[in-house]
Amino acid sequence: MVDLSEYAPILLFLAVALSLSALFVFLPMGVSRLTGTHQPDPEKLSEYECGFPAFEDSRSQFDVRFYLVAILFIIFDLEAAFLFPWAVSLGQIGWVGWSSMMIFLIILTVGFIYEWKMGALDWE
């Protein structure tokens, strides 16, 4: 026979977490309805994420430049993330580590120059 009393702390934690999350979601909505701050107007309901009104189907394809800029951001963000541990451990890795990082940076710089020349960073 299984003793279910060992699961009581987990169930208590789950109940508290669910009740707090429901409280944090629904309490502000209820308070705003009761205090009268829920007054939608055309300015509040306007588009604010993309900057222009949606005029097509939401399932339409984006221009590939959006994805290209996102991929470029990730690549150069990772490059910066690789530089910090390299700089900290430069004393231990010596010339081999320094030269391998210089090769890595040269490859990324050549790729950046290629993207720049091909117009990937131009925005219309």
Side-chain angles (χ1 to χ4, degrees):
M1 183 137 252
V2 178
D3 186 19
L4 295 179
S5 65
E6 295 178 9
Y7 293 104
I10 295 173
L11 293 175
L12 180 65
F13 179 75
L14 185 63
V16 169
L18 288 175
S19 62
L20 281 177
S21 63
L23 182 75
F24 288 145
V25 169
F26 296 117
L27 183 67
M29 291 168 40
V31 169
S32 70
R33 294 259 186 206
L34 292 175
T35 60
T37 57
H38 180 73
Q39 298 171 351
D41 59 9
E43 188 67 30
K44 282 186 181 179
L45 298 175
S46 65
E47 297 79 12
Y48 61 92
E49 290 180 352
C50 59
F52 56 88
F55 51 86
E56 293 179 6
D57 184 24
S58 62
R59 299 181 194 272
S60 64
Q61 293 182 347
F62 284 99
D63 192 5
V64 78
R65 287 178 288 182
F66 290 112
Y67 300 113
L68 183 62
V69 169
I71 289 171
L72 291 176
F73 173 76
I74 289 171
I75 288 171
F76 290 109
D77 187 41
L78 287 175
E79 175 188 354
F82 282 140
L83 285 176
F84 288 113
W86 171 76
V88 170
S89 65
L90 187 58
Q92 287 98 17
I93 59 176
W95 286 102
V96 175
W98 185 84
S99 60
S100 63
M101 183 54 84
M102 290 302 117
I103 292 170
F104 175 71
L105 290 176
I106 288 169
I107 291 171
L108 282 176
T109 304
V110 168
F112 180 70
I113 292 170
Y114 174 75
E115 291 164 358
W116 194 344
K117 295 293 182 182
M118 294 302 289
L121 302 175
D122 295 336
W123 201 259
E124 294 177 6

